[in-house]
Amino acid sequence: MQITSVLVANRGEIARRVFATCRRMGISTVAVYSDADAASPHVAEADAAVRLPGNTPGETYLRGELIIEAALSAGADAVHPGYGFLSENADFARAVQAAGLVWIGPPVSAIEQMGSKVESKKMMDAAGVPVLTELDPAEVTAAQLPVLIKASAGGGGRGMRVVRDLADLPGQLEAARREAESAFGDPTVFCERYLETGRHIEVQVMADTHGAVWAVGERECSIQRRHQKVVEEAPSPLVERVDHMRERLFEAARLATEAIGYEGAGTVEFLADEQGEFFFLEMNTRLQVEHPVTEQTTGLDLVRLQLQVASGRPLPTRQPELRGHSIEVRLYAEDPAHDWQPQSGTVHRIEIPGTTGEFTVLAEPGVRLDTGVVDGSVVGVHYDPMLAKVISFAETRDEAAHLLASALQRAQIHGLVTNRDLLVRVLRHEAFLAGDTDTAFFATHGLDKLSTPLVSEADEKLSIVAAALAESAANRAGARVAPGLPSGWRNLPSVPQSKSYESRVSGKHEVRYTLTRAGLEVEGQPGLELIEATPKSVVLRIPGERGPVQRRFEVARYGDVVAIDSPLGPVAVRRLPRFEDPADQVAEGSLLAPMPGSVIRLGAEVGAQVSKGQPILWLEAMKMEHTIAAPTDGILTELNVAVGQQVEVGAVLAVVHNETQE
């Protein structure tokens, strides 16, 4: 049949990605959105949009009956599930088809067979695909540790826990079940042997309704945090190195695909060792987040193929040959240096320089951007904090890594802390460039080192000087008297101008400077010359051992937040008031909410003796649980929250009093 209108049962970047292909094919689009997503770009881009009342996934994107009703009311004739939410829910797929809509995905039977990670492994074992032994959580012994707890109904790191101590198993099982229920609507979890290191290799498969099965290409997704992929690439450096590994991988992927009568796009995931041996992990019966790297290295539009297969058309007679290399990074609103703390708030600006395409396959080397946010978008607490996927394509792996690292370093990302600096350091790390990656990459090479800012301490100080000079220029531009004169300028010597800023990395900075007829004088920065200063940019000539170098700094202000971008690296600071309000001070030992969220559990009562690192309470935000621990040994003197309470970022949750500090 001819598909004329597609509802995407998803949000953000994936909805925009599917819409882009639909537009290229002349197919109209329908969006669904929660109240929190009312202003999301995917809503504005759709031909029609239907509200799902509520904010949380359980109220909205996990309500299959509401989504089907939305499709029918908007006149859609097909549903694309995207990834996450209900994309691997067999009951939803069955209900879509029962409503007379085309399901752009595999047969319900295939989803059911692969939907249970436990049963799928038994089936793959019978089909001749190598598997890891699955363990019953109730029967795990100390000799089998460490084990990995996994959600049976989904992936993406939700519901995953590594357990190394048998005493921790019951508590971790409960936490995993809660996360799995929140993310997928199914609390079922299981255990398997955990390999501390390994290579995560997956094969993209595509099958039509006429019996053709393609193993399109492999991807390596070994660099992960909290069992979620961060860097993905195609082809895999390991597979390139090991003789005949690609042939064996493709054969295993085809066996898995044929064993369940699969149709459409899917991914067969494996865990491999350095010798090229591999074990089946799971089959994702949907499109993957990282599908762009396969598109770039094959020239295929995988969403287009999904739509064609769902319409009953056969795959082309010839499979494409691999070309070049592609690397994708997931740009998250999170702080890797502080336990990957997710961030929320406004994205004031997001611009990736050198972008040559969005949601499209690049024909030439360049940078592709797939994002669900634009300038002014708000990142909330109800969904994954991924801002964008930034994808490079080049003839060689080294070129792709260099191109992507450069684009990220020069990107303007204002308003939220992100993992951008970490991504750049990974892409430039000698181990990564050598193809020496595994699932323990961050532990092996030190997350503390990889998450340090790109800009050096000395260069950060220069950037803050530029911020002060741009602010001074802005003040003069708004002055009613002599706006053309620099701020603080005098015929006679005068005291220096002073402006104070705070960096979340290096603390407080005071910039003391004087602008005279002789030029700029900055305390602690001898020889610095001011070439130009406007409210939005500052040009400085900086002294050096081999002579001065001129640099341009771009400055943007959003209230008291200042973002400074230059070739030296990105810097973000907060403008401090001249006089601090005592009401803004908090007591020593206070536990502040690192993000907005909901209190789901308490770990101690007022009056209890607690030790440093002891969990005091747990917050749920962005579909993950976050532990709030005591900052020091002492007495819990205040507990200002209750289970179920919503809290804002910066709220004082509790106070631990340490008598030794008196």
Side-chain angles (χ1 to χ4, degrees):
M1 67 166 290
Q2 179 65 43
I3 294 174
T4 62
S5 179
V6 172
L7 179 143
V8 179
N10 222 289
R11 62 180 298 276
E13 164 263 326
I14 183 56
R16 297 185 76 196
R17 166 68 190 90
V18 177
F19 291 166
T21 290
C22 287
R23 284 194 297 271
R24 289 191 288 266
M25 296 178 68
I27 298 172
S28 66
T29 56
V30 180
V32 287
Y33 65 93
S34 67
D35 292 337
D37 278 340
S40 173
H42 85 272
V43 179
E45 290 178 1
D47 296 315
V50 180
R51 173 178 174 249
L52 304 176
N55 289 306
T56 68
E59 296 171 315
T60 57
Y61 299 107
L62 289 175
R63 294 282 301 277
E65 74 280 8
L66 295 184
I67 292 172
I68 293 170
E69 183 180 329
L72 295 173
S73 65
D77 50 28
V79 172
H80 191 298
Y83 46 74
F85 296 133
L86 295 172
S87 61
E88 294 179 282
N89 186 300
D91 289 338
F92 176 59
R94 186 181 291 108
V96 167
Q97 294 173 332
L101 299 164
V102 175
W103 169 251
I104 303 173
V108 172
S109 59
I111 299 174
E112 288 177 329
Q113 288 171 314
M114 291 295 103
S116 168
K117 303 294 189 292
V118 176
E119 295 304 316
S120 67
K121 286 194 173 185
K122 295 177 181 177
M123 184 175 298
M124 292 300 102
D125 190 23
V129 180
V131 300
L132 281 172
T133 304
E134 183 257 328
L135 304 172
D136 184 339
E139 299 178 1
V140 171
T141 66
Q144 294 171 317
L145 297 174
V147 296
L148 179 65
I149 304 171
K150 298 180 72 174
S152 182
R158 270 74 182 192
M160 277 195 181
R161 293 287 195 282
V162 177
V163 179
R164 293 183 171 84
D165 187 329
L166 204 58
D168 296 335
L169 185 60
Q172 295 286 21
L173 280 169
E174 286 305 309
R177 288 178 180 128
R178 285 193 300 270
E179 277 191 1
E181 172 72 29
S182 175
F184 312 114
D186 183 348
T188 306
V189 298
F190 68 97
C191 293
E192 67 184 18
R193 182 166 58 97
Y194 179 64
L195 303 182
E196 295 285 358
T197 62
R199 309 281 283 243
H200 187 114
I201 312 293
E202 59 190 35
V203 179
Q204 176 72 56
V205 295
M206 181 66 70
D208 62 22
T209 58
H210 304 274
V213 176
W214 283 1
V216 182
E218 88 280 350
R219 300 183 286 257
E220 178 151 349
C221 314
S222 297
I223 298 181
Q224 304 178 3
R225 62 97 165 98
R226 289 179 170 172
H227 312 291
Q228 288 183 299
K229 302 159 189 173
V230 178
V231 182
E232 301 114 339
E233 60 182 311
S236 158
L238 175 67
V239 175
E240 291 276 271
R241 175 171 58 81
V242 177
D243 289 341
H244 307 298
M245 184 177 178
R246 180 168 290 123
E247 291 89 336
R248 292 187 291 114
L249 267 174
F250 285 9
E251 177 61 22
R254 280 190 287 264
L255 283 174
T257 305
E258 292 168 350
I260 59 173
Y262 198 81
E263 296 168 4
T267 303
V268 187
E269 299 194 353
F270 300 94
L271 186 66
D273 62 23
E274 291 298 326
Q275 288 69 49
E277 295 303 311
F278 54 84
F279 304 93
F280 173 84
L281 288 176
E282 62 187 12
M283 183 173 185
N284 290 301
T285 54
R286 54 174 169 81
L287 201 64
Q288 293 278 88
V289 179
E290 57 273 20
H291 76 272
V293 296
T294 295
E295 292 187 324
Q296 288 306 138
T297 51
T298 60
L300 296 171
D301 181 334
L302 294 177
V303 174
R304 182 185 183 89
L305 288 178
Q306 282 187 300
L307 291 164
Q308 291 175 338
V309 168
S311 300
R313 296 175 57 183
L315 291 171
T317 55
R318 293 189 60 185
Q319 204 171 317
E321 295 183 359
L322 297 180
R323 57 172 198 168
H325 200 96
S326 182
I327 304 174
E328 171 184 295
V329 294
R330 303 189 191 187
L331 182 66
Y332 282 101
E334 66 181 10
D335 187 354
H338 292 85
D339 196 29
W340 307 99
Q341 229 171 60
Q343 309 291 302
S344 63
T346 302
V347 180
H348 295 301
R349 182 170 177 78
I350 179 167
E351 181 182 354
I352 312 295
T355 299
T356 51
E358 295 186 10
F359 304 108
T360 188
V361 180
L362 304 181
E364 301 291 336
V367 174
R368 165 178 166 176
L369 179 66
D370 287 16
T371 179
V373 301
V374 295
D375 293 358
S377 290
V378 175
V379 177
V381 300
H382 301 292
Y383 315 112
D384 187 277
M386 188 175 77
L387 299 178
K389 301 182 314 195
V390 189
I391 308 108
S392 65
F393 172 59
E395 291 184 5
T396 68
R397 186 173 184 270
D398 281 351
E399 290 172 357
H402 175 77
L403 180 62
L404 187 52
S406 177
L408 287 167
Q409 175 158 346
R410 293 183 292 117
Q412 293 186 346
I413 308 167
H414 300 165
L416 292 175
V417 176
T418 73
N419 64 340
R420 179 253 300 274
D421 291 9
L422 171 95
L423 297 174
V424 173
R425 290 199 180 278
V426 168
L427 292 167
R428 290 175 174 165
H429 198 280
E430 59 183 8
F432 177 83
L433 294 174
D436 185 13
T437 61
D438 58 32
T439 53
F441 189 90
F442 292 133
T444 301
H445 300 290
L447 179 60
D448 55 340
K449 295 180 181 178
L450 291 168
S451 59
T452 55
L454 291 172
V455 65
S456 69
E457 183 177 340
D459 290 341
E460 182 186 50
K461 290 180 179 179
L462 284 171
S463 296
I464 295 174
V465 169
L469 295 173
E471 183 182 347
S472 177
N475 292 340
R476 291 312 304 162
R480 294 185 177 182
V481 179
L485 292 178
S487 175
W489 187 88
R490 300 287 189 277
N491 278 317
L492 299 174
S494 61
V495 297
Q497 297 288 298
S498 176
K499 291 181 173 61
S500 297
Y501 300 88
E502 184 174 36
S503 163
R504 68 192 310 275
V505 176
S506 56
K508 294 182 179 179
H509 295 260
E510 183 181 19
V511 181
R512 294 172 59 83
Y513 64 96
T514 306
L515 288 165
T516 69
R517 287 179 173 178
L520 172 69
E521 294 180 5
V522 180
E523 291 187 8
Q525 298 279 358
L528 199 62
E529 296 181 58
L530 175 61
I531 306 302
E532 177 187 54
T534 72
K536 294 184 178 180
S537 69
V538 172
V539 180
L540 297 174
R541 185 172 289 129
I542 305 164
E545 293 183 3
R546 299 191 176 185
V549 176
Q550 191 165 300
R551 298 281 191 189
R552 177 177 292 276
F553 299 81
E554 303 294 333
V555 182
R557 288 175 296 280
Y558 310 95
D560 62 354
V561 175
V562 186
I564 311 104
D565 294 291
S566 78
L568 299 175
V571 172
V573 294
R574 182 172 66 91
R575 175 75 160 97
L576 296 176
R578 293 184 64 187
F579 305 103
E580 189 171 4
D581 187 343
D584 293 335
Q585 299 180 9
V586 297
E588 188 172 3
S590 296
L591 283 72
L592 305 182
M595 71 214 60
S598 175
V599 178
I600 59 172
R601 194 153 53 108
L602 300 177
E605 297 180 348
V606 172
Q609 178 77 43
V610 298
S611 56
K612 182 178 180 180
Q614 178 181 335
I616 303 299
L617 58 95
W618 286 261
L619 286 179
E620 182 179 57
M622 299 178 181
K623 299 191 289 185
M624 300 285 282
E625 287 189 10
H626 307 276
T627 303
I628 308 300
T632 182
D633 295 342
I635 304 296
L636 183 62
T637 58
E638 292 184 32
L639 187 60
N640 304 322
V641 294
V643 173
Q645 181 176 336
Q646 291 286 329
V647 298
E648 295 299 321
V649 63
V652 179
L653 306 174
V655 177
V656 175
H657 179 64
N658 186 341
E659 295 181 354
T660 63
Q661 295 175 347
E662 295 184 345

